Amino acid sequence: MSVFTMDEAEREAALVPELAALTEQHRAACRPYRRILDAIGAVQPYERLMDLPWLPVRLFKTHELRSVPQEQVFRVLTSSGTTGQQPSRVYLDREAAAAQTRMLAATLRVVLGERRLPMLVVDTRSVVRDPTLSARGAGVLGMMNFGRDHTFVLDEQGRVDAEAVKGFLERHGSRRFLIFGFTFMVWLWLRDLGADLSQGVLIHSGGWKRLAEQAVDNAEFRRRLAAECGLTRVHNFYGMVEQIGTIFLEGPHGDGLYCPDFANVVIRDPETWQEAPNGVPGLIEVVSTLPTSYPGHVLLTEDLGVVRGVDDGAWPGKRFEVLGRLPRAEARGCSDTMGQAG
């Protein structure tokens, strides 16, 4: 069953009451959140998504924000961060952890299908062996749940393992298979394989900073992968640990990121904080009904984005583009904070 079914009006009508109820739930259960809402004078009713009170995503680095008792915390997730940065901390109880896993699977199923596919990982196996598990390693490990016969493109020294790739393609190259990697690593290593990847479905994510420095945008990224590897099923996604389980997935034509039915975005003018018109860049606010154990349901990110269209693409709802970080915001992004493989 698809999670990309609601047009924008339907989605707004469904999300506003649910997110308003979550706001009151977290107000009652999380004292720091309640103090913030009281300080800004946030009161019901909230008639539109843009009326809901938002938290700056950076607060999860500096405050303990949880809406469940400490003894019910099942898992604490931490964000990526370069050396010296405070990571975000996200508190999940068992129910919230189960929901985020289930809804991430439902989102990816739209492009991967029901069954686990053979999986080519554009990374080195050592990235998932690190006992401290970097954000990059956690991302790879999480995606490995959606594949089987996991084969790593790079060896332990971070060099292309041509034999492993060749063996994988001999076994699985004639039918649909999954490829996952962080965007920069996909660009760095996948095009040089000289292999036919035309049956692959590529899921990729992470910062675009290094590619932007090479004047490679999303259109060029897709064009070169199609020309050099035969890869035409390519899906970027946008997500963050502070709204774990919610990802905004690129549509089949590369015309933007789409919101699943349980989530949405609001693009805010950074001067007025009002909603920016379609086509006008602003700060990305992400909303999701999944954060039930911590007040992460309405978050203002430090990313700039723009709505490219509404109800006019392959899937209904808003389609948007991430333009990059707000100037002077701290660097963030799994692949941008890592050196080249190895």
Side-chain angles (χ1 to χ4, degrees):
M1 187 173 113
S2 177
V3 294
F4 296 96
T5 65
M6 290 187 179
D7 66 31
E8 190 57 25
E10 264 184 294
R11 185 188 308 261
E12 177 116 357
L15 287 178
V16 169
E18 198 166 343
L19 291 166
L22 267 178
T23 299
E24 296 313 305
Q25 174 188 317
H26 291 309
R27 186 199 293 264
C30 178
R31 184 179 296 174
Y33 183 65
R34 179 165 65 251
R35 290 173 61 189
I36 291 166
L37 294 190
D38 289 348
I40 63 175
V43 291
Q44 300 263 24
Y46 309 114
E47 295 180 358
R48 299 167 297 169
L49 283 179
M50 66 164 293
D51 298 334
L52 289 154
W54 43 263
L55 290 184
V57 73
R58 188 178 285 249
L59 276 186
F60 288 87
K61 296 180 183 297
T62 56
H63 292 70
E64 183 176 326
L65 297 168
R66 58 179 168 82
S67 302
V68 292
Q70 183 66 55
E71 61 271 18
Q72 288 181 23
V73 173
F74 171 63
R75 185 175 294 146
V76 181
L77 302 174
T78 56
S79 65
S80 61
T82 52
T83 305
Q85 290 177 8
Q86 181 79 12
S88 293
R89 294 175 67 82
V90 172
Y91 298 86
L92 300 177
D93 61 7
R94 287 185 179 276
E95 186 179 342
Q100 59 97 357
T101 301
R102 186 171 64 250
M103 298 317 291
L104 176 60
T107 305
L108 289 172
R109 200 176 293 133
V110 174
V111 295
L112 297 180
E114 296 289 335
R115 296 186 177 182
R116 289 189 182 191
L117 298 175
M119 184 172 180
L120 202 56
V121 182
V122 190
D123 216 313
T124 171
R125 188 176 291 277
S126 61
V127 79
V128 297
R129 290 203 190 114
D130 180 356
T132 61
L133 206 62
S134 66
R136 178 171 136 203
V140 170
L141 205 57
M143 281 299 300
M144 284 173 68
N145 290 322
F146 301 100
R148 60 181 174 84
D149 192 15
H150 308 102
T151 301
F152 288 77
V153 170
L154 305 180
D155 64 18
E156 299 286 349
Q157 285 71 48
R159 297 180 300 237
V160 170
D161 189 340
E163 286 303 307
V165 174
K166 181 183 175 187
F168 177 90
L169 293 174
E170 284 173 353
R171 294 191 302 277
H172 305 298
S174 62
R175 293 186 175 184
R176 204 157 60 114
F177 59 90
L178 168 61
I179 308 171
F180 173 74
F182 289 100
T183 305
F184 182 71
M185 296 189 70
V186 168
W187 179 256
L188 195 64
W189 301 111
L190 214 56
R191 296 174 305 123
D192 293 335
L193 290 179
D196 176 10
L197 304 178
S198 56
Q199 295 302 310
V201 181
L202 172 64
I203 306 289
H204 69 102
S205 187
W208 283 83
K209 185 180 174 189
R210 291 191 190 174
L211 294 189
E213 289 166 357
Q214 298 178 26
V216 177
D217 61 9
N218 190 44
E220 176 68 0
F221 180 87
R222 293 173 66 95
R223 188 189 70 76
R224 291 280 292 277
L225 285 178
E228 296 174 31
C229 320
L231 254 179
T232 56
R233 287 174 285 194
V234 175
H235 299 274
N236 185 23
F237 72 84
Y238 173 66
M240 61 204 69
V241 73
E242 295 86 358
Q243 269 190 9
I244 192 73
T246 303
I247 62 170
F248 301 90
L249 191 62
E250 185 178 30
H253 310 306
D255 58 354
L257 298 158
Y258 289 80
C259 309
D261 291 344
F262 53 89
N264 211 335
V265 295
V266 176
I267 306 297
R268 289 193 182 269
D269 183 314
E271 300 283 330
T272 66
W273 302 115
Q274 295 303 305
E275 186 166 13
N278 294 350
V280 176
L283 276 175
I284 300 174
E285 175 188 306
V286 289
V287 305
S288 169
T289 60
L290 295 191
T292 54
S293 58
Y294 65 99
H297 56 306
V298 187
L299 298 178
L300 190 71
T301 74
E302 295 172 346
D303 296 318
L304 291 168
V306 61
V307 172
R308 294 298 187 198
V310 180
D311 298 330
D312 64 349
W315 300 327
K318 286 175 184 163
R319 54 183 182 85
F320 69 101
E321 182 183 350
V322 180
L323 301 175
R325 302 289 286 154
L326 184 69
R328 296 187 303 280
E330 69 180 354
R332 171 187 178 129
C334 298
S335 66
D336 283 344
T337 59
M338 306 301 291
Q340 291 188 10

